[in-house]
Coordinates of all heavy atoms in Angstrom, one line a residue:
M1 N 6.2 -11.4 -11.2 CA 5.3 -10.6 -10.3 C 6.1 -9.4 -9.8 O 7.2 -9.6 -9.4 CB 4.9 -11.5 -9.2 CG 3.9 -10.8 -8.3 SD 3.3 -12.0 -7.0 CE 2.1 -12.6 -7.8
Q2 N 5.5 -8.3 -9.8 CA 6.2 -6.9 -9.4 C 5.9 -6.7 -7.9 O 4.7 -6.7 -7.5 CB 5.9 -5.8 -10.2 CG 6.7 -4.6 -10.0 CD 6.1 -3.5 -10.9 OE1 5.3 -3.6 -11.9 NE2 6.9 -2.4 -10.9
F3 N 6.9 -6.3 -7.2 CA 6.7 -5.9 -5.7 C 7.2 -4.5 -5.5 O 8.0 -4.1 -6.1 CB 7.4 -6.8 -4.8 CG 6.8 -8.2 -4.7 CD1 7.3 -9.2 -5.6 CD2 5.9 -8.4 -3.9 CE1 6.7 -10.5 -5.6 CE2 5.2 -9.7 -3.9 CZ 5.7 -10.8 -4.7
Y4 N 6.5 -3.9 -4.5 CA 6.9 -2.4 -4.2 C 7.3 -2.4 -2.7 O 6.7 -3.2 -1.9 CB 5.8 -1.5 -4.5 CG 5.2 -1.5 -5.8 CD1 3.9 -2.1 -6.1 CD2 5.9 -0.7 -6.8 CE1 3.5 -2.0 -7.5 CE2 5.5 -0.7 -8.0 CZ 4.2 -1.3 -8.4 OH 3.7 -1.3 -9.7
T5 N 8.1 -1.4 -2.4 CA 8.4 -1.2 -1.0 C 7.3 -0.3 -0.4 O 6.5 0.3 -1.3 CB 9.8 -0.5 -0.9 OG1 9.6 0.8 -1.4 CG2 11.0 -1.3 -1.5
V6 N 7.4 -0.2 0.9 CA 6.4 0.8 1.5 C 6.6 2.2 1.0 O 5.6 2.9 0.7 CB 6.5 0.8 3.0 CG1 5.6 1.7 3.8 CG2 6.1 -0.8 3.5
Q7 N 7.8 2.5 1.0 CA 8.1 4.0 0.4 C 7.6 4.2 -1.0 O 7.1 5.3 -1.3 CB 9.6 4.2 0.4 CG 9.9 5.5 0.1 CD 11.5 5.8 0.4 OE1 12.2 5.0 0.8 NE2 11.9 7.2 -0.1
Q8 N 7.8 3.1 -1.8 CA 7.3 3.3 -3.3 C 5.7 3.4 -3.3 O 5.2 4.1 -4.0 CB 7.7 2.0 -4.1 CG 9.1 2.1 -4.3 CD 9.7 0.8 -5.0 OE1 9.1 -0.4 -4.7 NE2 10.7 1.0 -6.0
V9 N 5.1 2.5 -2.4 CA 3.5 2.5 -2.4 C 3.1 4.0 -1.9 O 2.1 4.7 -2.4 CB 3.0 1.6 -1.5 CG1 1.5 1.7 -1.3 CG2 3.3 0.1 -2.2
A10 N 3.8 4.5 -0.8 CA 3.4 5.8 -0.4 C 3.6 6.9 -1.5 O 2.7 7.7 -1.5 CB 4.4 6.1 0.7
K11 N 4.6 6.7 -2.3 CA 4.8 7.8 -3.3 C 3.7 7.6 -4.4 O 3.2 8.5 -4.9 CB 6.2 7.7 -3.9 CG 6.6 8.6 -4.9 CD 8.0 8.5 -5.3 CE 8.4 9.6 -6.3 NZ 9.8 9.5 -6.6
I12 N 3.4 6.5 -4.6 CA 2.3 6.2 -5.7 C 1.0 6.6 -5.2 O 0.3 7.3 -6.1 CB 2.2 4.7 -6.0 CG1 3.5 4.2 -6.8 CG2 0.9 4.3 -6.8 CD1 3.6 2.6 -6.8
L13 N 0.7 6.5 -4.0 CA -0.6 6.8 -3.6 C -0.6 8.4 -2.9 O -1.7 8.9 -2.6 CB -1.1 6.0 -2.3 CG -1.3 4.5 -2.7 CD1 -1.5 3.8 -1.4 CD2 -2.5 4.4 -3.7
H14 N 0.6 9.0 -3.0 CA 0.7 10.4 -2.5 C 0.3 10.5 -0.9 O -0.5 11.4 -0.7 CB -0.1 11.3 -3.4 CG 0.4 11.2 -4.8 ND1 1.4 11.9 -5.3 CD2 -0.3 10.7 -5.9 CE1 1.6 11.7 -6.6 NE2 0.5 11.0 -6.9
V15 N 0.8 9.6 -0.2 CA 0.6 9.6 1.3 C 1.8 9.2 2.0 O 2.9 9.0 1.3 CB -0.5 8.5 1.6 CG1 -1.8 8.8 1.0 CG2 0.1 7.2 1.3
K16 N 1.9 9.4 3.2 CA 3.2 9.2 4.0 C 3.3 7.7 4.2 O 2.4 6.9 4.2 CB 3.0 10.0 5.3 CG 3.0 11.4 5.2 CD 3.1 12.1 6.6 CE 3.2 13.6 6.3 NZ 3.4 14.4 7.6
K17 N 4.6 7.3 4.6 CA 4.9 5.9 4.7 C 4.1 5.4 5.9 O 3.7 4.1 5.9 CB 6.3 5.7 5.0 CG 7.2 5.8 3.9 CD 8.7 5.5 4.0 CE 9.2 5.5 5.3 NZ 10.6 5.2 5.4
D18 N 3.9 6.1 7.1 CA 3.2 5.7 8.2 C 1.8 5.4 7.9 O 1.1 4.5 8.5 CB 3.1 6.8 9.3 CG 4.3 6.9 9.9 OD1 5.3 6.1 9.9 OD2 4.7 8.1 10.6
Y19 N 1.1 6.0 7.0 CA -0.3 5.7 6.5 C -0.2 4.3 5.7 O -1.2 3.5 6.0 CB -0.9 6.7 5.6 CG -2.3 6.5 5.3 CD1 -3.3 6.5 6.2 CD2 -2.7 6.2 3.9 CE1 -4.6 6.3 5.9 CE2 -3.9 6.0 3.5 CZ -5.0 6.0 4.6 OH -6.2 5.6 4.1
V20 N 0.6 4.1 5.0 CA 0.8 2.7 4.3 C 1.0 1.6 5.4 O 0.3 0.6 5.3 CB 2.0 2.7 3.4 CG1 2.1 1.2 2.6 CG2 1.8 3.8 2.2
Y21 N 1.8 1.9 6.5 CA 1.9 0.8 7.4 C 0.6 0.6 8.1 O 0.2 -0.4 8.5 CB 3.0 1.3 8.6 CG 4.4 1.2 8.0 CD1 5.3 2.2 7.9 CD2 4.9 -0.2 7.7 CE1 6.6 2.0 7.4 CE2 6.2 -0.4 7.3 CZ 7.1 0.7 7.1 OH 8.2 0.6 6.6
E22 N -0.1 1.7 8.3 CA -1.5 1.6 9.0 C -2.4 0.8 8.1 O -3.2 0.0 8.7 CB -2.0 3.1 9.2 CG -3.2 3.1 10.0 CD -3.7 4.6 10.2 OE1 -3.0 5.5 10.4 OE2 -5.0 4.7 10.2
L23 N -2.5 1.0 6.9 CA -3.3 0.3 6.0 C -3.0 -1.2 6.1 O -3.9 -2.1 6.2 CB -3.1 0.7 4.6 CG -3.7 2.1 4.2 CD1 -3.3 2.6 2.8 CD2 -5.2 2.1 4.4
I24 N -1.8 -1.5 6.1 CA -1.2 -2.8 6.2 C -1.6 -3.5 7.5 O -2.3 -4.6 7.6 CB 0.3 -3.0 6.0 CG1 0.7 -2.6 4.7 CG2 0.8 -4.4 6.5 CD1 2.3 -2.3 4.5
H25 N -1.4 -2.8 8.6 CA -1.8 -3.3 10.1 C -3.4 -3.5 10.0 O -3.8 -4.6 10.6 CB -1.4 -2.3 11.0 CG -1.7 -2.6 12.4 ND1 -1.1 -3.6 13.0 CD2 -2.7 -2.1 13.3 CE1 -1.6 -3.8 14.2 NE2 -2.5 -2.9 14.4
Q26 N -4.2 -2.7 9.4 CA -5.6 -2.8 9.4 C -6.1 -3.8 8.5 O -7.3 -4.2 8.5 CB -6.3 -1.5 9.1 CG -6.1 -0.4 10.0 CD -6.6 0.9 9.6 OE1 -7.0 1.1 8.4 NE2 -6.6 2.0 10.5
G27 N -5.3 -4.4 7.7 CA -5.6 -5.5 6.8 C -6.3 -5.0 5.5 O -6.8 -5.7 4.7
K28 N -6.2 -3.6 5.3 CA -6.8 -3.1 4.1 C -5.8 -3.2 2.9 O -6.4 -3.1 1.7 CB -7.2 -1.6 4.3 CG -8.2 -1.4 5.3 CD -8.5 0.1 5.5 CE -9.5 0.2 6.6 NZ -9.9 1.7 6.8
L29 N -4.6 -3.4 3.0 CA -3.7 -3.4 2.1 C -2.8 -4.8 2.4 O -2.1 -4.8 3.5 CB -2.7 -2.2 2.0 CG -1.5 -2.3 0.9 CD1 -2.2 -2.4 -0.6 CD2 -0.7 -1.1 1.0
Q30 N -2.7 -5.7 1.6 CA -2.0 -7.0 1.8 C -0.6 -6.9 1.4 O -0.2 -6.2 0.5 CB -2.7 -8.1 0.9 CG -4.1 -8.5 1.1 CD -4.3 -8.9 2.5 OE1 -3.5 -9.7 3.1 NE2 -5.3 -8.4 3.2
A31 N 0.2 -7.3 2.4 CA 1.6 -7.0 2.3 C 2.4 -8.6 2.7 O 1.9 -9.3 3.4 CB 2.2 -6.1 3.2
I32 N 3.6 -8.6 2.2 CA 4.5 -9.7 2.6 C 5.6 -9.4 3.3 O 6.3 -8.3 3.0 CB 4.9 -10.5 1.3 CG1 3.8 -11.0 0.5 CG2 5.9 -11.7 1.6 CD1 4.2 -11.3 -0.9
R33 N 5.8 -9.8 4.6 CA 7.0 -9.6 5.4 C 8.1 -10.4 5.1 O 8.1 -11.7 5.2 CB 6.6 -9.8 6.8 CG 7.9 -9.3 7.8 CD 7.4 -9.3 9.2 NE 6.3 -8.3 9.5 CZ 6.7 -7.0 9.7 NH1 8.0 -6.6 9.7 NH2 5.9 -6.1 10.2
M34 N 9.2 -9.8 4.3 CA 10.3 -10.7 3.9 C 11.3 -11.0 5.0 O 11.9 -12.0 5.1 CB 11.0 -9.8 2.8 CG 10.2 -9.3 1.7 SD 9.5 -10.8 0.7 CE 11.1 -11.0 -0.3
S35 N 11.4 -10.0 6.0 CA 12.2 -10.1 7.3 C 11.5 -9.1 8.2 O 10.5 -8.6 7.9 CB 13.6 -9.8 6.9 OG 13.8 -8.5 6.6
E36 N 12.3 -9.0 9.3 CA 11.8 -8.2 10.4 C 11.6 -6.7 9.9 O 10.7 -6.0 10.2 CB 12.7 -8.1 11.6 CG 12.2 -7.3 12.8 CD 13.0 -7.5 14.0 OE1 13.5 -8.5 14.2 OE2 13.1 -6.4 14.6
R37 N 12.5 -6.3 9.0 CA 12.4 -4.9 8.5 C 12.0 -4.8 7.1 O 12.0 -3.6 6.5 CB 13.8 -4.1 8.7 CG 14.1 -4.1 10.2 CD 15.5 -3.4 10.4 NE 15.7 -2.2 9.8 CZ 15.3 -1.0 10.5 NH1 14.8 -1.0 11.7 NH2 15.4 0.2 9.8
R38 N 11.8 -5.9 6.4 CA 11.5 -5.7 4.9 C 10.1 -6.1 4.6 O 9.6 -7.2 4.9 CB 12.3 -6.6 4.1 CG 13.8 -6.0 4.0 CD 14.5 -6.9 3.2 NE 16.1 -6.4 3.2 CZ 17.1 -7.1 3.0 NH1 16.8 -8.4 2.5 NH2 18.3 -6.6 3.1
I39 N 9.3 -5.3 4.2 CA 7.8 -5.4 3.7 C 7.7 -5.2 2.3 O 8.2 -4.1 1.9 CB 7.0 -4.6 4.7 CG1 6.9 -5.0 6.1 CG2 5.5 -4.8 4.1 CD1 6.2 -4.1 7.0
R40 N 7.1 -6.0 1.5 CA 6.8 -5.7 0.1 C 5.3 -6.0 -0.2 O 4.6 -6.7 0.4 CB 7.5 -6.8 -0.8 CG 9.0 -6.7 -0.5 CD 9.6 -5.3 -1.1 NE 11.0 -5.2 -1.0 CZ 11.7 -4.6 0.0 NH1 11.1 -4.2 1.0 NH2 13.0 -4.6 0.1
I41 N 4.8 -5.1 -1.1 CA 3.4 -5.1 -1.6 C 3.4 -5.5 -3.0 O 4.2 -4.9 -3.8 CB 2.7 -3.7 -1.3 CG1 2.8 -3.4 0.2 CG2 1.4 -3.7 -1.8 CD1 3.8 -2.5 0.7
S42 N 2.6 -6.5 -3.3 CA 2.6 -6.9 -4.7 C 1.7 -5.8 -5.5 O 0.9 -5.2 -5.0 CB 1.9 -8.2 -4.9 OG 0.6 -8.3 -4.7
H43 N 2.0 -5.8 -6.8 CA 1.4 -4.9 -7.7 C -0.2 -5.4 -7.7 O -0.9 -4.4 -7.7 CB 2.0 -5.1 -9.1 CG 1.1 -4.4 -10.2 ND1 1.3 -3.0 -10.4 CD2 0.3 -4.8 -11.2 CE1 0.5 -2.6 -11.3 NE2 -0.2 -3.6 -11.7
E44 N -0.5 -6.7 -7.6 CA -1.9 -7.1 -7.6 C -2.6 -6.6 -6.2 O -3.7 -6.1 -6.3 CB -1.9 -8.6 -7.8 CG -1.5 -9.2 -9.0 CD -0.1 -9.2 -9.3 OE1 0.7 -9.1 -8.5 OE2 0.4 -9.4 -10.4
S45 N -1.8 -6.6 -5.2 CA -2.4 -6.1 -3.9 C -2.7 -4.7 -3.9 O -3.8 -4.1 -3.6 CB -1.5 -6.4 -2.7 OG -1.4 -7.9 -2.5
L46 N -1.8 -3.9 -4.5 CA -1.9 -2.5 -4.6 C -3.1 -2.2 -5.5 O -4.0 -1.3 -5.4 CB -0.7 -1.8 -5.1 CG -0.7 -0.4 -5.3 CD1 -1.0 0.4 -4.1 CD2 0.7 0.1 -5.8
N47 N -3.2 -2.9 -6.6 CA -4.2 -2.7 -7.6 C -5.6 -3.0 -7.0 O -6.6 -2.3 -7.1 CB -4.0 -3.6 -8.9 CG -5.0 -3.3 -10.0 OD1 -5.2 -2.0 -10.3 ND2 -5.6 -4.2 -10.7
E48 N -5.8 -4.1 -6.3 CA -6.9 -4.5 -5.6 C -7.2 -3.4 -4.6 O -8.5 -3.0 -4.5 CB -6.8 -5.9 -4.8 CG -7.9 -6.3 -4.1 CD -7.7 -7.6 -3.5 OE1 -7.0 -8.5 -4.1 OE2 -8.3 -7.8 -2.4
F49 N -6.4 -2.9 -3.8 CA -6.6 -1.8 -2.9 C -7.3 -0.6 -3.6 O -8.3 0.0 -3.1 CB -5.4 -1.5 -2.1 CG -5.6 -0.2 -1.1 CD1 -6.2 -0.3 0.0 CD2 -5.2 1.0 -1.6 CE1 -6.4 0.8 0.7 CE2 -5.3 2.1 -0.8 CZ -6.0 2.0 0.4
T50 N -6.6 -0.2 -4.7 CA -7.1 1.1 -5.3 C -8.4 0.9 -6.0 O -9.2 1.7 -6.0 CB -6.1 1.5 -6.4 OG1 -5.8 0.4 -7.3 CG2 -4.8 2.0 -5.8
Q51 N -8.8 -0.4 -6.5 CA -10.1 -0.7 -7.1 C -11.2 -0.6 -5.9 O -12.3 -0.2 -6.3 CB -10.0 -2.1 -7.8 CG -9.1 -2.0 -9.0 CD -9.6 -0.9 -10.0 OE1 -10.7 -0.9 -10.3 NE2 -8.6 -0.2 -10.5
N52 N -10.8 -1.2 -4.7 CA -11.7 -1.2 -3.8 C -12.0 0.0 -2.9 O -12.9 0.1 -2.1 CB -11.3 -2.4 -2.7 CG -11.4 -3.7 -3.3 OD1 -12.4 -4.0 -4.3 ND2 -10.8 -4.8 -2.8
H53 N -11.1 1.0 -3.2 CA -11.2 2.3 -2.3 C -11.2 3.4 -3.3 O -10.3 4.4 -3.2 CB -10.1 2.3 -1.4 CG -10.1 1.3 -0.3 ND1 -9.6 0.1 -0.5 CD2 -10.6 1.4 0.9 CE1 -9.7 -0.7 0.7 NE2 -10.4 0.1 1.5
K54 N -12.1 3.4 -4.2 CA -12.2 4.6 -5.1 C -12.6 5.9 -4.4 O -13.4 5.8 -3.5 CB -13.3 4.3 -6.1 CG -12.9 3.2 -7.1 CD -12.0 3.6 -8.2 CE -11.8 2.6 -9.2 NZ -11.0 2.9 -10.2
V55 N -12.1 6.8 -4.8 CA -12.4 8.2 -4.3 C -13.7 8.7 -4.8 O -14.0 8.6 -6.0 CB -11.3 9.3 -4.4 CG1 -11.5 10.6 -4.0 CG2 -10.0 8.7 -3.9
K56 N -14.4 9.3 -3.9 CA -15.8 9.8 -4.3 C -15.6 11.2 -4.6 O -14.8 11.9 -4.0 CB -16.9 9.6 -3.3 CG -17.2 8.2 -2.9 CD -18.3 8.1 -1.9 CE -18.5 6.7 -1.6 NZ -19.4 6.6 -0.4
K57 N -16.2 11.8 -5.7 CA -16.1 13.2 -5.9 C -17.0 14.0 -5.0 O -17.9 13.6 -4.6 CB -16.7 13.5 -7.4 CG -15.8 13.1 -8.4 CD -16.4 13.5 -9.8 CE -15.4 13.2 -10.9 NZ -15.9 13.7 -12.1
F58 N -16.3 15.1 -4.6 CA -17.0 16.0 -3.8 C -17.4 17.2 -4.5 O -16.7 17.9 -5.2 CB -16.0 16.6 -2.6 CG -15.5 15.4 -1.6 CD1 -14.4 14.8 -1.8 CD2 -16.5 15.1 -0.7 CE1 -14.0 13.7 -0.9 CE2 -16.0 14.2 0.3 CZ -14.9 13.5 0.1
N59 N -18.7 17.7 -4.3 CA -19.2 18.8 -5.0 C -19.0 20.2 -4.2 O -19.1 20.2 -3.1 CB -20.7 18.6 -5.3 CG -20.8 17.5 -6.4 OD1 -19.9 17.3 -7.1 ND2 -21.8 16.8 -6.4

């Protein structure tokens, strides 16, 4: 199983780290707290998030 750091997820999604933390806090992105300062997001959780939050096209 592959895991990502918050920084890696932010880079993948092209957003800031604070936004990734907000998604985790809101329960929209599942994460595992390894310790007080270590959070990891599984590849499966990231994939589920991206599938459930497709971007709509703007005309």
